[in-house]
């Protein structure tokens, strides 16, 4: 035991042996022992189990859990940012390999992190079960009888009275019961206890932690998360094939998808027009219509950044937005071979964007041969002359689309999955004019003629697109319930005092009754002596003091006593 | 009046309020500085007294120690006889040391300066509070959209917690100097490094869960901070007492300084209470954050660096509470855990905002 033990009453500390059973069981915390096991497998198993469920090991595991969580916050994680992980691997190949081996790119699903929290929760369960039984036993039993020497308890008071001991004890029993103590008469003293809710709170808190963890694990196994980019006017129905990308927990099946569909009518973004934060987004909102099931009625709603649309168990979030110029491509004869809005990916906060236009079929070159076309598009929603490479404001102020074309084979038929935002130029040749590669800035409505009668490309107008994330996180209700229960349990466990009071009344040699009262709290608190004082005061009225005898009473207060006021901080 | 003119007018008012707020914050800093000097003066005058109560208590022969019995509550005046007295006994193994008298060391002039310091602190607090409110009014939202606002709100709340404890008649005046020193540091960093002109929030920060989450986070931080200051002083006082008890002779400065603080056991208990009292609130803060994350990003928990460090802080404080309940970990070891836990909180605020990028990138620096 260390030198300063402010709450020394949970296991009777050395020097307090005489409290015996009175001081025990004030908490159901397991006792910490480090006894070496007796030989044999069972001996070791039992020793191991006892260690695992001890407070010391719980503490160590908690420490390990917090230490183990640190690397995941400093090293890029594949779960949150795949590209950063890839960058890191490229820049530090050796370190990357090492991290890979240690699972440091996915700390929170790594073997070692799981091992820590699984051990912790085994420990927790192994801790809760015996404590619950022990507590039930305490509730069934009665508060332990008074220790022999009440003077040794943390709070103590005594007086002499002419009232008969039986009467005093009866009055004390009635008083304590009225104050909602569990009290009973044991020998020459009344034993009482209060504050059992502390233990209830503590058990509830630890059980709530288990509920929380199971709910979290359940959510991880059955969750789904998919993204869909939709251009204004476009729609989506909730099937696997419609998603641009889709992630799910290992036990999720496609049947779990909620049947719904929705259309994006309009996207609106507003931005700060002036001041130091010029260009910072103010509002984003998507006007959508949605319907549930195959033939559901369609309803109108607005999805904002913090206000997802909830359909069934799914939530639809607005997560990103950008521009989609409407492009028309014509061949040499003037036939339209491509007409679509092309979503471009934002590169910066002012939505400078880039992307590609792929004309896969239908196009023939001036000689009539089948060919594919590709265009690199670079878009500035607000173009300011002099600043050719980036937009100066996120809204559509002065849109300019920069295009450069290629012809040949896009490589899309090779079967290798290709990004819709990049061109594979291995089999493509640039369109050239006199000065090299042809590259032009277009404004809405303008057309760029391709050289040698190869056709033309027109920038018609600009639409906006929004990205929607559809998620389903089963078990989140349980997680929330667990969390709320944990808070209440915790509050009960930390704010409720569990304490015992004993009142002894015996006749002294001179025929006068000596009343002794003592209080014991689970932790040394100013409340225990205060409460004892109040109880003593009330009891004193019913058993008023008798004049002091000439000589000192035998029960001099303990010399280690300190003033009560010191504790009242 | 055209719409544009109306917006211009509103913008002008806001700018005016923002300037007012800046002036108030600077004034508060000036008054805090005066309070700082008053606290220093209190400590200086206090050093004149030669008390040494701790030494007396620790070196005295136990038999000679008086047993001061104290009446917790006196009954009505009609009682002829004295009411029973409640005697409180220190737990076994605990040093029986009286609390120091506070920074003034019982010196009357010192006490006067201490009172002046507290009055100045109250004044500075009111000015700073007005500054925070003006700032909030100028941006038409709660004042914690960036690190500058977070810092000024944080120090206001920390001083508020200190003054509330004083108002509740808790023995905390000795903390004044340490608290005001760090408040000045906090404000200094705020107005120099972190300053951001007042502006509105990015859409992701528009949610009433934000109000709940951030306001409780600030309150928790302020209370954890008070707990951490006490814990550090506990460690000093505890080694001082150990040294005395072992028959050592601590240095003169240490003696003068530490004699005036409460006993180590009192400091320990106070920091435990403070930390334990906010721990449920901190739990709630994290849950409120998770609910907000659920609304904003489609998942309530995603191991974002900020979330991870909130979790680490939470687990570290849970460690501390467990340590307090485990024999062999009480006292100094538990105190170290409490400091580590507060370190995690600090890192979550400064470290994560500045060094680590995540979804919570609203630092504005
Ligand atoms: C996920 C892991 C755990 C967390 C976050 C946690 C958290 C806490 C907290 C915050 C308290 C303080 C409440 C109070 O003092 O009454 C506490 C108390 C307690 N915990 Fe845990 N705990 C965990 C695991 C465990 C395990 C594995 C055990 C069993 C070995 C355990 C046994 C106890 C006991 C006995 C108390 C009460 C201490 C007392 O009576 O003062 N806990 N726990």
């Amino acid at each position: 035991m260390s030198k300063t033990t402010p709450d020394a009453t949970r296991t009777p500390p050395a020097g307090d042996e005489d409290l015996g059973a009175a001081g025990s069981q004030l908490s159901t915390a397991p006792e910490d022992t480090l006894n070496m096991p007796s030989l044999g497998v069972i001996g070791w198993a039992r020793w191991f189990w006892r260690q695992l469920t001890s407070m010391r090991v719980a503490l160590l595991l908690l420490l390990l859990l917090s230490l183990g969580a640190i690397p995941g916050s400093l090293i890029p994680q594949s779960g949150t940012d795949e590209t950063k992980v890839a960058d890191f691997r490229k820049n530090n190949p050796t370190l990357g390999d090492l991290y890979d081996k240690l699972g440091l790119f996915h700390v929170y699903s790594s073997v070692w992190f799981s091992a820590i929290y699984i051990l912790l929760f085994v420990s927790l369960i192994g801790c809760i079960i015996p404590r619950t039984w022990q507590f039930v036993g305490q509730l069934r039993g009665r508060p332990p009888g008074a220790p022999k020497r009440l003077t040794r308890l943390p709070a103590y008071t005594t007086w002499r009275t002419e009232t008969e001991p039986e009467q005093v004890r009866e009055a004390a029993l009635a008083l304590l019961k009225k104050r909602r103590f569990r009290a009973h008469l044991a020998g020459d003293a009344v034993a009482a206890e209060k504050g059992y809710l502390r233990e209830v709170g503590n058990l509830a808190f630890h059980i709530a932690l288990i509920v929380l963890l199971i709910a979290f694990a359940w959510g991880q196994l059955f969750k789904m998360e998919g993204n869909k980019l939709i251009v204004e006017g476009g729609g989506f129905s909730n099937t696997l094939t419609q998603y641009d990308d889709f992630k799910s927990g290992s036990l999720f099946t496609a049947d779990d998808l909620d049947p719904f569909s929705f259309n994006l009518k309009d996207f609106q973004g507003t931005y700060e027009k002036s001041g130091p934060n010029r260009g910072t987004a103010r509002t984003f909102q998507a006007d959508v219509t949605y319907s549930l099931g195959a033939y559901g009625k369609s309803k109108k709603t607005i999805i904002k950044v913090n206000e997802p649309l909830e359909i069934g168990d799914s939530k639809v979030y607005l997560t990103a937005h950008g521009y989609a110029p409407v492009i028309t491509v014509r061949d040499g004869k003037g036939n339209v071979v491509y007409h679509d809005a092309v979503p471009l990916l934002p590169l910066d906060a002012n939505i400078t964007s880039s992307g590609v236009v792929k004309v896969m079929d239908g196009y023939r070159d001036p000689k009539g041969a089948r060919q594919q076309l590709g265009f690199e598009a670079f878009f500035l929603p607000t173009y300011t002359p002099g600043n050719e490479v980036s937009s100066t404001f996120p809204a559509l102020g002065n849109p300019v689309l920069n295009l450069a074309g290629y012809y040949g084979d896009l490589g899309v038929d090779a079967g290798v999955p290709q990004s819709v935002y990049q061109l594979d130029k291995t089999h493509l040749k640039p369109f050239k004019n006199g000065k090299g590669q042809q590259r032009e800035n277009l404004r809405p409505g303008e057309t760029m003629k391709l050289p040698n009668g190869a056709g033309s490309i027109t920038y018609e107008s600009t639409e906006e697109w929004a990205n929607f994330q559809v998620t389903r996180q089963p078990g989140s209700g349980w997680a929330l319930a667990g969390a709320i229960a944990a808070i209440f349990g915790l509050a009960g466990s930390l704010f409720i005092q569990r304490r015992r009071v004993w009142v002894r009344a015996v006749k002294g040699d001179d025929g006068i009754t000596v009343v002794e009262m003592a209080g014991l709290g689970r932790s040394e608190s100013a409340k225990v002596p205060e409460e004892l004082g109040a109880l003593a005061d009330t009891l004193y009225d019913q058993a008023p003091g008798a004049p002091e005898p000439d000589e000192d009473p035998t029960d001099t207060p303990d010399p280690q006593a300190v003033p009560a006021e010191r504790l009242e901080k | 009046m055209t719409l544009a003119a109306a917006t211009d007018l509103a913008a002008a008012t806001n700018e005016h309020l923002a300037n007012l707020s800046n002036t108030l914050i600077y004034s508060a800093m000036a008054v805090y500085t005066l309070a700082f000097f008053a606290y220093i003066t209190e400590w200086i005058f206090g050093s004149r007294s030669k008390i040494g109560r701790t030494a007396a208590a620790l070196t005295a022969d136990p038999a000679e120690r008086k047993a001061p019995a104290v009446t917790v509550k006196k009954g009505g005046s009609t009682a002829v006889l004295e009411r029973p007295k409640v005697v409180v006994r220190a737990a076994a193994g605990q040093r029986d040391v009286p609390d120091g008298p506070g920074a003034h060391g019982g010196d009357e002039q010192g006490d006067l300066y201490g009172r002046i310091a507290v009055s100045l602190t109250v004044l500075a607090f009111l000015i700073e509070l007005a500054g925070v409110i003006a700032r909030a009014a100028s941006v038409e939202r709660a004042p914690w959209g960036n690190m500058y606002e977070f810092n000024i709100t944080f120090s206001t709340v920390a001083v508020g917690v200190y003054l509330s404890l004083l108002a509740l008649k808790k023995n905390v005046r000795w903390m004044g100097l340490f608290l005001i020193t760090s408040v000045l540091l906090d404000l200094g960093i705020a107005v120099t490094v972190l300053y951001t002109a007042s502006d509105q929030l990015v859409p992701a920060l528009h949610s009433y869960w934000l109000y709940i989450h951030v306001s409780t986070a600030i309150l928790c931080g302020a209370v954890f901070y008070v707990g951490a200051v006490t814990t550090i002083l506990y460690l000093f006082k505890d080694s001082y007492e150990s040294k005395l008890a072992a028959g050592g002779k601590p240095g003169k400065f240490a003696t003068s300084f530490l004699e005036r603080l409460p006993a180590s056991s009192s400091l320990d208990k106070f920091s435990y209470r403070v930390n334990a009292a906010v721990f449920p609130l901190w739990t709630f803060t994290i849950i409120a954050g998770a609910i907000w994350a659920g609304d904003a990003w489609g998942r309530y928990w995603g191991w974002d660096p900020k979330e991870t460090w909130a979790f680490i802080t939470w687990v570290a404080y849970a460690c501390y509470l467990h340590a307090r309940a485990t024999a062999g970990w009480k006292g100094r070891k538990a105190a170290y855990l409490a400091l580590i836990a507060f370190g995690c909180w600090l890192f979550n605020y400064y470290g994560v905002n500045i060094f680590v990028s995540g979804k919570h990138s609203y630092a504005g620096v």
Side-chain angles (χ1 to χ4, degrees):
Chain A
M1 187 141 278
S2 72
K3 276 164 281 173
T4 39
T5 30
D7 40 8
T9 42
R10 55 198 321 271
T11 40
D16 273 357
E17 303 89 349
D18 36 350
L19 289 184
S24 73
Q25 293 188 339
L26 250 179
S27 149
T28 50
E31 258 181 66
D32 265 338
T33 45
L34 254 186
N35 294 335
M36 272 334 213
S38 55
L39 289 175
V41 179
I42 297 182
W44 274 102
R46 193 178 291 151
W47 178 82
F48 182 74
W49 178 250
R50 207 172 291 148
Q51 290 311 306
L52 188 61
T53 55
S54 75
M55 289 289 280
R56 184 183 288 112
V57 171
L59 184 59
L60 269 173
L61 288 171
L62 272 172
L63 264 176
L64 277 178
L65 186 70
S66 54
L67 282 179
I70 295 177
S73 72
L74 305 175
I75 297 168
Q77 297 291 294
S78 51
T80 32
D81 203 337
E82 198 77 63
T83 42
K84 258 197 198 154
V85 174
D87 281 354
F88 188 91
R89 281 211 182 93
K90 219 186 322 167
N91 298 337
N92 317 281
T94 11
L95 207 56
D97 283 351
L98 182 69
Y99 282 6
D100 255 338
K101 285 210 183 82
L102 297 176
L104 287 176
F105 290 122
H106 57 103
V107 167
Y108 307 110
S109 53
S110 68
V111 177
W112 55 271
F113 192 77
S114 314
I116 298 175
Y117 73 75
I118 289 171
L119 270 180
L120 185 61
F121 275 83
V122 170
S123 163
L124 189 53
I125 292 168
C127 179
I128 286 176
I129 295 170
R131 280 172 60 207
T132 311
W133 287 128
Q134 202 183 334
F135 182 59
V136 169
Q138 287 177 19
L139 281 182
R140 285 230 196 100
R142 293 169 138 187
K148 237 185 255 140
R149 295 178 58 195
L150 287 178
T151 45
R152 300 203 59 104
L153 287 167
Y156 173 80
T157 185
T158 182
W159 71 92
R160 290 150 48 84
T161 175
E162 274 154 5
T163 321
E164 288 301 307
E166 292 78 26
Q167 267 172 294
V168 176
R169 289 196 289 259
E170 235 162 73
L173 192 64
L175 170 66
L176 285 164
K177 283 198 167 152
K178 203 171 133 207
R179 299 275 166 94
R180 315 248 309 271
F181 276 82
R182 287 181 70 208
H184 69 113
L185 194 65
D188 57 1
V190 176
E193 183 165 353
K194 195 175 171 176
Y196 291 86
L197 270 181
R198 178 198 181 92
E199 225 65 44
V200 176
N202 191 271
L203 290 171
F205 168 69
H206 285 88
I207 292 170
L209 286 184
I210 295 179
V211 173
L212 196 62
L213 181 89
I214 292 175
F216 188 72
W218 184 269
Q220 294 295 312
L221 289 173
F222 288 98
K223 74 171 179 196
M224 64 135 277
E225 182 185 309
N227 278 293
K228 176 68 183 173
L229 185 153
I230 304 175
V231 178
E232 283 169 327
F236 165 77
S237 75
N238 194 22
T239 53
L240 271 187
T241 48
Q242 289 241 338
Y243 282 105
D244 300 332
D245 69 75
F246 189 82
K247 273 192 285 191
S248 65
S250 37
L251 297 181
F252 179 86
T253 61
D255 296 342
D256 294 334
L257 285 173
D258 289 306
F260 66 84
S261 59
F262 66 91
N263 295 305
L264 174 64
K265 294 276 164 224
D266 186 24
F267 177 86
Q268 293 159 20
T270 59
Y271 307 90
E272 192 74 355
K273 291 223 168 53
S274 57
N277 284 19
R278 181 171 185 270
T280 305
R282 287 293 153 251
T283 55
F284 292 138
Q285 71 175 51
D287 297 344
V288 299
T289 56
Y290 69 98
S291 59
L292 197 60
Y295 307 103
K297 254 228 249 32
S298 83
K299 288 179 218 152
K300 268 191 189 161
T301 189
I302 292 173
I303 304 180
K304 290 187 184 171
V305 171
N306 272 326
E307 294 162 27
L309 167 65
E310 291 183 38
I311 310 179
D313 288 339
S314 306
K315 287 186 178 180
V316 182
Y317 295 85
L318 173 64
T319 53
H321 74 104
Y323 294 103
V326 179
I327 303 284
T328 306
V329 180
R330 291 185 175 81
D331 64 13
K333 294 187 185 127
N335 298 325
V336 172
V337 293
Y338 181 96
H339 176 80
D340 209 349
V342 183
L344 303 178
L345 287 190
L347 303 173
D348 62 20
N350 282 330
I351 325 195
T352 308
S353 311
S354 77
V356 298
V357 182
K358 293 184 186 178
V359 181
M360 311 229 201
D361 41 40
Y363 175 78
R364 288 176 188 273
D365 70 7
K367 291 176 201 136
R370 283 180 72 109
Q371 214 167 36
Q372 290 179 321
L373 298 181
F375 295 89
E376 283 178 330
F378 189 70
F379 179 72
L380 311 179
T382 299
Y383 166 72
T384 310
N387 192 349
E388 310 296 322
V389 292
S390 59
S391 169
T392 53
F393 196 71
L396 278 181
N398 178 21
V400 162
L401 182 66
N402 179 281
L403 289 169
Y406 297 83
Y407 60 96
D409 181 1
L410 290 170
V412 282
D413 308 322
V416 189
Q418 223 185 27
S419 165
V420 293
Y421 301 107
Q422 270 164 7
L423 279 186
D424 173 3
K425 290 185 216 149
T426 21
H427 303 292
L428 290 176
K429 287 194 195 119
F431 282 114
K432 289 196 173 155
N433 57 15
K435 290 172 255 162
Q437 183 171 15
Q438 184 195 24
R439 183 179 282 284
E440 277 180 32
N441 278 348
L442 302 185
R443 288 166 200 278
E446 290 183 351
T447 298
M448 170 167 101
K449 276 229 167 338
L450 298 174
N452 308 327
S456 69
I457 177 165
T458 309
Y459 167 27
E460 311 274 0
S461 60
T462 325
E463 301 275 11
E464 288 186 74
W465 57 260
N467 190 71
F468 293 94
Q469 188 182 49
V470 181
T471 64
R472 224 178 76 114
Q473 263 196 333
S476 51
W478 279 98
L480 184 63
I484 291 169
I487 293 179
F488 281 102
L490 197 55
S493 165
L494 289 168
F495 301 144
I496 296 173
Q497 279 280 329
R498 188 159 170 202
R499 66 268 189 201
R500 294 192 176 136
V501 168
W502 292 276
V503 184
R504 172 174 283 142
V506 284
K507 222 172 202 123
D509 299 335
D510 52 359
I512 299 242
T513 305
V514 178
V515 183
E516 283 181 286
M517 288 180 75
L520 175 66
R522 228 208 48 149
S523 58
E524 199 181 280
S525 149
K527 294 258 165 58
V528 172
E530 252 168 47
E531 187 179 44
L532 191 75
L535 285 169
D537 252 12
T538 317
L539 196 59
Y540 188 84
D541 289 337
Q542 291 164 42
E548 289 290 313
D550 293 338
E551 78 274 43
D552 266 1
T554 42
D555 281 308
T556 36
D558 193 281
Q560 277 195 353
V562 287
E565 69 184 356
R566 236 206 60 198
L567 295 158
E568 289 176 40
K569 265 170 235 88
Chain B
M1 193 159 64
T2 64
L3 193 64
T7 351
D8 281 352
L9 189 66
T13 330
N14 288 351
E15 192 152 337
H16 179 70
L17 275 169
N19 289 337
L20 176 68
S21 164
N22 292 351
T23 315
L24 285 169
I25 295 294
Y26 277 104
S27 317
M29 283 178 76
V31 183
Y32 278 131
T33 312
L34 290 180
F36 172 79
F37 284 117
Y39 280 120
I40 291 268
T41 317
E42 180 189 14
W43 279 94
I44 290 172
F45 273 117
S47 67
R48 292 197 299 209
S49 69
K50 295 272 173 288
I51 3 133
R53 293 204 219 179
T54 312
L58 284 174
T59 45
D61 181 358
E64 282 173 26
R65 284 191 222 162
K66 288 273 286 173
V70 184
T71 311
V72 168
K73 189 181 158 223
K74 282 242 163 53
S77 54
T78 45
V80 186
L81 288 162
E82 229 190 295
R83 294 255 145 181
K85 296 164 177 176
V86 173
V87 173
V88 178
R89 179 176 169 272
Q94 192 174 319
R95 278 188 220 108
D96 183 12
V97 177
D99 286 342
H104 54 78
D107 183 273
E108 243 173 69
Q109 245 172 313
D111 185 45
L112 177 67
Y113 277 99
R115 281 161 199 279
I116 293 175
V118 171
S119 315
L120 286 170
T121 308
V122 172
L123 179 64
F125 168 73
L126 293 176
I127 299 174
E128 195 187 3
L129 187 64
V132 170
I133 292 171
R135 175 80 182 193
S138 82
V139 288
E140 295 165 25
R141 59 167 167 77
W144 46 63
N146 51 49
M147 275 177 90
Y148 167 74
E149 291 169 6
F150 197 94
N151 261 39
I152 60 173
T153 310
F154 176 76
S155 56
T156 313
V157 175
V159 176
V161 168
Y162 167 68
L163 293 176
S164 315
L165 287 171
L166 273 182
L168 291 172
K169 301 231 171 347
K170 305 279 174 192
N171 175 11
V172 289
R173 204 170 98 190
W174 47 268
M175 198 189 288
L177 179 62
F178 313 103
L179 186 77
I180 298 308
T181 310
S182 42
V183 163
L184 280 172
L185 264 174
D186 169 273
L187 286 177
I189 294 174
V191 297
T192 50
V193 186
L194 303 177
Y195 186 76
T196 329
S198 66
D199 201 16
Q200 287 171 1
L201 291 179
V202 294
L205 293 182
H206 281 301
S207 162
Y208 62 91
W209 281 107
L210 168 79
Y211 285 71
I212 297 169
H213 170 66
V214 184
S215 60
T216 53
I218 291 175
L219 183 61
C220 287
V223 180
F224 280 144
Y225 178 67
V226 168
V229 170
T230 319
T231 307
I232 292 174
L233 293 175
Y234 156 75
L235 287 171
F236 282 117
K237 182 85 183 207
D238 181 62
S239 8
Y240 172 72
E241 285 175 9
S242 307
K243 201 164 184 184
L244 274 180
K249 246 189 155 347
K252 226 168 144 189
F253 177 75
T255 308
S256 168
F257 175 68
L258 292 168
E259 270 297 337
R260 286 179 266 162
L261 293 182
S264 68
S265 62
S266 304
L267 290 171
D268 187 38
K269 216 176 299 164
F270 179 72
S271 65
Y272 169 70
R273 284 209 194 132
V274 163
N275 285 329
V278 284
F279 186 74
L281 190 65
W282 180 242
T283 312
F284 172 76
T285 302
I286 294 176
I287 292 166
I291 295 174
W292 175 34
D295 281 353
W297 304 318
R299 84 288 182 291
Y300 57 88
W301 195 266
W303 297 106
D304 177 79
K306 202 94 183 171
E307 289 167 4
T308 305
W309 278 94
F311 172 75
I312 294 170
T313 309
W314 185 78
V315 174
Y317 275 107
C319 269
Y320 165 72
L321 292 179
H322 266 217
R324 297 278 312 199
T326 309
W329 274 84
K330 286 172 184 158
R332 297 189 74 91
K333 278 193 204 163
Y336 292 132
L337 280 180
L339 290 183
I340 291 173
F342 184 69
C344 292
W345 192 92
L346 268 189
F347 183 79
N348 196 15
Y349 176 44
Y350 283 107
V352 173
N353 276 15
I354 294 167
F355 304 122
V356 190
S357 72
K359 287 202 161 183
H360 284 78
S361 46
Y362 52 80
V365 287

